[in-house]
Amino acid sequence: MSRVAVAIIGAGPYGLSLAAHLSARKLESRIFGHPMRFWSDIAEAGGERYLKSFCFGTNLSTPAPGYSFADYNEPRGLETFEPCSIANFTEYGRWFQQHNVPWVEPVEVENVDRQGDGFVISLSDGERFVADRVVVATGLSGFAYVPPVLASLPPDLAVHTSGVKSFAAFTGRDVAVIGAGQSALEAAALLGEAGARPQLLVRESSVRWHDRSSLEPSLWERLRWPISGLGRGLKAKALTQFPGAMHRVPAKWRTQFVNDHLPAEGAWWLRPRVETRLPIHLGVAVVNAREVSGRVALELRFASDAGERRLVVDHVIAGSGYDIDVANLTFISEHLRCAIQRLGRAPKLNASFEASVSGLHFVGPSSAMSFGPLFRFVIGAEYSARVVSGCLSARAGLLAGHQWGYWRPARASPHSDLQRPHRIATLVG
Ligand SMILES: Cc1cc2nc3c(=O)[nH]c(=O)nc-3n(C[C@H](O)[C@H](O)[C@H](O)COP(=O)(O)OP(=O)(O)OC[C@H]3O[C@@H](n4cnc5c(N)ncnc54)[C@H](O)[C@@H]3O)c2cc1C
């Protein structure tokens, strides 16, 4: 079996940024997954879809200049503040990948298991190889949370927002959308615009909307609500200025902060597409759901009265968010998963994003419990890419001094010989 220094699983913003930083440090890595697949799936489901984050807060990261989202958008006449379309962001990510990480291997990782002090990895094309270190950068894949009350419904009747492949497929259908966060509100808008009849079921007594940022804020607004890549406000500003600070906060406070930060709310540009156009039921809980003659009968309990009411629809879409649970990372062998210490259900990570299984790192949303809410968003990719690439190259440097030699001197063009550069350390196996 061949051997590689670092295997990165997932080619979204976090995986691609890390691969670019490792390459700049001349450390050998392989990266797997279809570039920007999470985002292209969203764009391909159809409709007008935008990022919630600002353009300047949604950069993929490389030490080379000229690859920010705005660097891509500006010469093409695309939006450079907000709102930026998700299709545009997908194209930006692919452009970044083609220029900075052209050696991505568009295959899935099917299994990761321990082998000696490294890991053996099995790919969907049948290849098996050994990696000294593995970085899991699989984003929200596998973490979609569907409330237990919907669990008994078949998948053609009940689906999570992340599972919707085409909003047009619901044309002419009655659809109950559960939730009041961005995903639920956006799904309802897109369903309505695709000719379906959506109804929003919201547990809270109101829907929260995010205000549009002023392009010319007053001095007071700038002081009280400073703008940052995570939004407006002092908390957001502090989180972006000191991305590593939350890791030093006691775990009890940090996990509470992560859970409470950013309540469910919709973007300002979504409001006119939902508020006055679609039926919204507030203060309502779904207490039962069952299939009746190919449709879904929902039992609803309203906060305003004691009784229950019935709603029959063709489909239910759960906009109930994501639950980062190591148990759902089924491409990691069971005994490795069991060996990973948790914070809640998420992996507990040290300051180098490394789990209690030595050599196994997590970046992206699964690192948010250990590092704070910044890492749920693309903006966290730069800090994690810098920290993890620094840690991995330092350790490889140590090894180089002792036995293997992952380092090599810089060459004129790092990409000139191979599509996948820096495969210099396949010395073992
Ligand atoms: C609807 C929605 C809107 C969002 N909008 C924003 C926004 O506006 N701004 C923002 O900053 N964040 C937003 N987010 C959060 C967003 O998910 C993260 O910021 C971002 O995706 C994190 O990047 P990532 O690289 O960790 O994950 P991803 O972009 O999800 O990339 C991970 C990749 O890994 C791949 N993968 C999974 N398993 C495997 C495997 N076994 N083998 C190989 N590849 C695998 C997946 O296909 C995926 O392409 C949004 C999330 C949702 C659900």
Side-chain angles (χ1 to χ4, degrees):
M1 262 189 281
S2 67
R3 187 158 188 144
V4 70
V6 182
I8 302 169
I9 308 174
Y14 277 81
L16 292 171
S17 300
L18 176 60
H21 279 254
L22 288 172
S23 169
R25 288 175 179 272
K26 315 288 180 235
L27 181 63
E28 173 205 34
S29 71
R30 292 178 71 178
I31 170 167
F32 305 98
H34 297 270
M36 301 296 282
R37 166 67 68 80
F38 169 80
W39 297 95
S40 59
D41 283 352
I42 293 181
E44 282 162 18
E48 217 185 307
R49 301 186 82 169
Y50 298 100
L51 293 175
K52 220 173 154 189
S53 49
F54 300 124
C55 180
F56 74 88
T58 327
N59 296 321
L60 277 70
S61 173
T62 167
Y67 290 100
S68 72
F69 194 12
D71 288 330
Y72 177 80
N73 284 351
E74 205 160 356
R76 292 167 177 79
L78 299 165
E79 178 60 53
T80 54
F81 184 49
E82 69 162 350
C84 296
S85 91
I86 287 186
N88 168 208
F89 179 62
T90 309
E91 286 312 311
Y92 157 62
R94 287 183 175 151
W95 169 82
F96 177 98
Q97 177 262 317
Q98 282 152 15
H99 286 84
N100 295 285
V101 197
W103 57 92
V104 171
E105 297 172 57
V107 292
E108 298 289 299
V109 169
E110 289 190 338
N111 195 55
V112 178
D113 208 346
R114 216 9 150 193
Q115 179 162 97
D117 57 356
F119 301 87
V120 61
I121 296 183
S122 310
L123 302 178
S124 54
D125 64 4
E127 186 188 344
R128 293 178 82 228
F129 67 96
V130 175
D132 295 329
R133 298 194 162 260
V134 171
V135 183
V136 178
T138 51
L140 295 170
S141 307
F143 297 139
Y145 172 76
V146 177
V149 72
L150 302 180
S152 64
L153 294 172
D156 57 327
L157 295 185
V159 65
H160 187 267
T161 44
S162 63
V164 176
K165 300 276 173 270
S166 160
F167 284 95
F170 295 89
T171 304
R173 317 289 283 173
D174 291 303
V175 187
V177 180
I178 300 175
Q182 175 74 1
S183 292
L185 297 167
E186 190 186 40
L190 293 166
L191 286 165
E193 288 157 6
R197 291 181 297 275
Q199 305 190 43
L200 262 166
L201 306 179
V202 177
R203 199 173 31 198
E204 295 77 17
S205 56
S206 64
V207 173
R208 295 170 65 116
W209 296 100
H210 190 249
D211 289 333
R212 182 172 198 170
S213 297
S214 163
L215 283 174
E216 287 173 10
S218 64
L219 178 63
W220 164 246
E221 283 171 330
R222 271 182 281 151
L223 290 172
R224 179 63 191 86
W225 300 103
I227 193 164
S228 71
L230 205 54
R232 282 204 182 269
L234 293 167
K235 251 195 279 181
K237 184 78 178 175
L239 288 169
T240 51
Q241 289 294 107
F242 308 104
M246 285 292 286
H247 190 264
R248 299 199 188 101
V249 170
K252 197 174 146 210
W253 296 351
R254 185 179 57 242
T255 49
Q256 187 70 42
F257 183 78
V258 171
N259 289 331
D260 295 347
H261 188 74
L262 297 183
E265 60 178 16
W268 61 266
W269 41 262
L270 207 47
R271 194 168 187 170
R273 294 164 60 190
V274 174
E275 213 172 39
T276 52
R277 295 203 178 175
L278 306 174
I280 303 177
H281 305 285
L282 298 172
V284 58
V286 178
V287 293
N288 194 21
R290 63 200 165 84
E291 181 178 355
V292 177
S293 312
R295 303 187 83 206
V296 185
L298 299 172
E299 301 294 335
L300 307 179
R301 184 174 298 149
F302 283 78
S304 53
D305 57 52
E308 283 177 10
R309 278 181 255 166
R310 196 168 190 243
L311 175 70
V312 179
V313 290
D314 296 306
H315 303 274
V316 185
I317 295 182
S320 35
Y322 295 82
D323 180 20
I324 307 295
D325 186 345
V326 169
N328 292 350
L329 294 172
T330 48
F331 60 87
I332 299 179
S333 77
E334 198 179 344
H335 77 268
L336 260 190
R337 266 182 280 149
C338 290
I340 297 171
Q341 273 181 32
R342 326 273 169 101
L343 269 176
R345 288 179 289 277
K348 182 177 179 189
L349 306 175
N350 70 14
S352 306
F353 292 80
E354 187 176 15
S356 54
V357 170
S358 158
L360 183 63
H361 299 248
F362 289 82
V363 293
S366 54
S367 66
M369 268 309 172
S370 292
F371 281 86
L374 190 77
F375 296 86
R376 283 185 186 152
F377 302 96
V378 174
I379 190 169
E382 177 170 15
Y383 178 79
S384 24
R386 272 197 286 113
V387 169
V388 177
S389 64
C391 154
L392 296 184
S393 54
R395 291 191 194 175
L398 280 180
L399 277 178
H402 292 232
Q403 43 173 335
W404 290 341
Y406 289 133
W407 289 89
R408 68 173 174 181
R411 295 180 316 177
S413 165
H415 297 172
S416 57
D417 60 342
L418 275 177
Q419 274 286 292
R420 184 195 310 139
H422 311 145
R423 297 202 62 186
I424 50 161
T426 47
L427 307 179
V428 187

